[in-house]
């Protein structure tokens, strides 16, 4: 098994992180004070396990934040079916991802916070968990963690790999180190054509494409709560603006109002970061707004329902007649995954800046499984059409669902590639 070749930049990185590691506890405590870390679980970030390791083989899956860890869930389900005797350990790096996994991971799957990439934290983590296989998702390239895992004989795979042009330029400045780290992976499956090209240019042996964010089941929801909300909404149409960012909520609300002034549709706002709820409430001062997190009732005259909670997008997608995906109407964010509403069979609208899912949207646009609104005036026009002609909206939602269901075939192909790496 090939170990990571210790290039000069990698050796300097290890030395620097070794010198800085005494500062890690203080840095983590400061982050915890700002809500960026779980103060009860800081030990895990230093490699001190919060759980005993079960006997037997262990497969370790790692993703950083909510999007990456959520994309791991269909892989977790598939691995449990394929290797029921193996323990699955999922690590992540953010408080919000830990909260999501606490709700969504099946019983028996262990969650831990990932160790910071210092030599001692990495050593403690690997000494305790002793994984047989490590599955990294998207763009996690922590040199100490990768090198130490490989030195212990851990098989490694980089799945649904994503690399931006900026990251590729960064790694191209130390091409030997990039080749050494990428060469540590037994399997590299890029999520799109651009990433495939960049990784191959840096020396990775890439396999077939896999985008884990495009596979999976519909998000879960409580049927009783859905029935309660539908009763509260009554005959009104519902427009859900999902995963919105600053600069999007007010123009979307204006577009909804212009789209159907006689229907008075309900706008449900689900911001990407629910902690912005106070800011959003102030932005709509004077409007009839109800906050879900505060238990404020959804009344007949409610104009805006602020869904400032986590883990309820499945419920909101089911409630919606039309979904406006946020992050694509202002520059620099890149949009969000359209497959989540697509799995619920909802017609989807996005803005012109959804570059993070450009390939997916391009295919969905071609199949009329989603619609691009070039600005907020266009959004109002598209919303007017979808709300006035529900049969057309239904056909677009069905096309979105069909597209989403076809993406599962990529996971089957990836699992066939993973089989030789899985512990017996």
């Amino acid at each position: 098994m090939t170990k990571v070749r210790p290039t000069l930049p990698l050796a300097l990185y290890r030395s620097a992180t070794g010198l800085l590691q005494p500062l890690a506890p203080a840095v983590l405590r400061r982050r915890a004070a700002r809500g960026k870390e779980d103060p009860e679980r800081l030990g895990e970030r230093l490699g001190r396990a919060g759980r005993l390791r079960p006997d037997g083989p262990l497969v370790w899956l790692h993703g950083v934040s909510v999007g990456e860890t959520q994309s791991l869930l269909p892989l977790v389900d598939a691995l449990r079916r394929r290797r029921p005797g193996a323990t699955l350990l999922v690590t992540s790096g953010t408080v919000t991802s830990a909260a999501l996994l606490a709700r969504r991971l099946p019983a028996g799957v262990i969650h831990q916070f990932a160790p910071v990439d210092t030599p001692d934290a990495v050593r403690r983590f690997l000494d305790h968990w002793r994984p047989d296989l490590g599955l990294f998702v998207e763009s996690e390239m922590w040199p100490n963690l990768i090198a130490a895992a490989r030195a212990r004989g851990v098989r490694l795979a980089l799945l649904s790999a994503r690399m931006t042009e900026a990251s590729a330029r960064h790694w191209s400045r130390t091409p030997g180190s990039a080749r050494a780290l990428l060469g540590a992976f037994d399997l590299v499956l890029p999520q799109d054509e651009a990433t495939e090209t960049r990784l191959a240019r840096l020396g990775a042996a890439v396999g077939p494409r896999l985008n884990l964010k495009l596979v999976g089941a519909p998000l879960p929801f409580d049927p009783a709560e859905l029935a309660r909300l539908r009763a509260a909404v009554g005959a009104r149409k519902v427009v859900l603006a999902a995963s919105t960012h600053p600069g999007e909520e007010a123009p979307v609300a204006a577009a909804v109002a212009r789209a159907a002034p006689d229907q008075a549709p309900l706008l449900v706002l689900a911001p990407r970061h629910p902690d912005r709820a106070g800011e959003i409430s102030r932005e709509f001062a004077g409007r009839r707004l109800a906050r879900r997190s505060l238990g404020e009732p959804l009344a007949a005259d409610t104009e805006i329902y602020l869904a400032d909670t986590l883990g309820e997008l499945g419920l909101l997608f089911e409630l919606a007649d039309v979904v406006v995906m946020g992050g694509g109407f202002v520059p620099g964010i890149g949009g969000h995954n359209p497959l989540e509403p697509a799995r619920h069979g909802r017609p989807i609208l996005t803005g012109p800046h959804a570059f993070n899912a450009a390939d997916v949207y391009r295919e969905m646009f071609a199949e009329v499984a989603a619609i691009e609104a070039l600005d907020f005036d266009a959004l109002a026009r598209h919303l007017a059409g979808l709300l006035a002609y529900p049969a057309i909206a239904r056909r677009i939602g069905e096309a979105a669902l069909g597209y989403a269901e076809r993406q599962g075939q990529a996971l089957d192909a990836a699992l066939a590639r993973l089989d030789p790496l899985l512990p017996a």
Side-chain angles (χ1 to χ4, degrees):
M1 183 175 292
T2 305
K3 295 183 179 180
V4 175
R5 184 170 58 86
T7 64
L8 179 59
L10 293 178
L12 291 173
Y13 174 86
R14 178 177 170 80
S15 297
T17 52
L19 290 171
L20 293 172
Q21 64 189 1
L23 303 176
V27 172
L28 291 170
R29 286 193 296 270
R30 285 197 296 273
R31 285 176 52 82
R34 300 197 305 271
K36 301 294 186 181
E37 301 282 349
D38 185 338
E40 303 299 320
R41 299 176 64 180
L42 293 183
E44 294 173 27
R45 297 288 273 151
L46 297 170
R48 299 187 176 96
R51 296 274 298 275
L52 294 175
R53 185 202 189 280
D55 293 333
L58 185 143
V59 177
W60 160 40
L61 303 93
H62 175 66
V64 186
S65 58
V66 170
E68 291 84 358
T69 51
Q70 187 161 281
S71 75
L72 285 172
L73 294 172
L75 185 58
V76 166
D77 290 338
L79 290 174
R80 291 177 78 219
R81 293 192 298 271
R82 267 175 145 77
R83 294 294 190 274
T87 295
L88 300 185
L89 167 70
V90 178
T91 58
S92 65
T94 67
V95 174
T96 50
S97 64
L100 179 139
L101 290 171
R103 292 189 300 271
R104 300 283 305 277
L105 282 179
V109 178
I110 299 170
H111 173 262
Q112 295 279 279
F113 281 103
V116 296
D117 200 41
T118 63
D120 285 354
V122 164
R123 174 184 52 77
R124 285 190 288 262
F125 174 85
L126 293 172
D127 284 351
H128 178 84
W129 291 109
R130 305 187 311 282
D132 297 280
L133 171 64
L135 305 178
F136 289 53
V137 172
E138 292 217 4
S139 55
E140 281 297 274
M141 291 275 284
W142 294 110
N144 289 332
L145 190 59
I146 293 170
R150 195 66 180 188
R152 284 167 166 76
V154 180
R155 308 299 295 270
L156 296 175
L158 180 59
L159 305 181
S160 195
R162 178 173 175 267
M163 178 172 282
T164 65
E165 184 58 36
S167 293
R169 284 197 301 270
H170 167 78
W171 283 109
S172 67
R173 298 187 189 106
T174 54
S177 299
R179 281 194 301 274
L181 288 175
L182 290 169
F185 291 98
D186 299 277
L187 181 65
V188 178
L189 303 182
Q191 68 173 237
D192 54 43
E193 182 180 1
T195 292
E196 180 180 2
T197 301
R198 291 161 189 156
L199 289 174
R201 195 165 62 227
L202 290 170
V206 295
R209 294 176 201 165
L210 170 69
N211 189 340
L212 284 171
K213 290 182 178 178
L214 305 187
V215 302
L219 296 175
F221 63 93
D222 179 351
E225 180 62 8
L226 177 62
R228 188 189 72 80
L229 289 176
R230 281 178 171 164
V233 171
R236 301 165 69 192
K237 297 286 189 179
V238 177
V239 176
L240 167 63
S243 297
T244 56
H245 290 260
E248 293 186 317
E249 289 91 7
V252 168
V256 171
R258 294 201 307 276
D262 300 329
Q263 294 184 35
L266 174 68
L267 171 61
V268 179
L269 287 178
R272 183 69 171 181
H273 303 290
D275 57 5
R276 295 182 51 240
E279 162 198 331
I280 294 169
S281 297
R282 290 188 293 274
E283 189 171 21
F284 291 104
R287 300 285 295 275
R288 289 184 289 277
L289 179 145
R291 280 181 65 174
R292 183 165 175 80
S293 67
L294 300 181
E296 295 175 351
L298 175 53
D301 64 347
T302 301
E303 298 175 73
I304 299 170
Y305 193 49
L306 180 52
D308 53 336
T309 54
L310 286 171
E312 292 196 308
L313 273 179
L315 174 70
L316 302 177
F317 288 140
E318 286 292 313
L319 182 66
D321 293 287
V322 180
V323 175
V324 178
M325 287 302 293
F329 290 92
V330 291
I333 295 165
H336 296 293
N337 184 6
L339 270 294
E340 290 182 348
R343 292 185 194 113
H344 293 262
R346 296 300 182 262
I348 301 158
L349 289 158
T350 188
H353 303 291
F355 54 80
N356 282 337
D359 291 346
V360 177
Y361 273 121
R362 184 166 55 250
E363 293 176 357
M364 294 183 75
F365 295 155
E367 297 183 22
V368 197
I371 299 172
E372 182 181 38
L374 295 178
D375 54 31
F376 291 109
D377 289 334
L379 176 64
R381 291 194 298 273
H382 290 309
L383 283 171
L386 293 172
L387 294 175
Y389 299 97
I392 294 175
R394 185 167 57 251
R395 284 198 293 271
I396 295 173
E398 289 168 353
L401 178 60
Y403 179 87
E405 289 176 340
R406 293 197 303 274
Q407 307 312 307
Q409 299 170 4
L411 180 58
D412 295 336
L415 289 168
R417 293 293 191 107
L418 272 178
D419 265 335
L421 305 181
L422 292 172

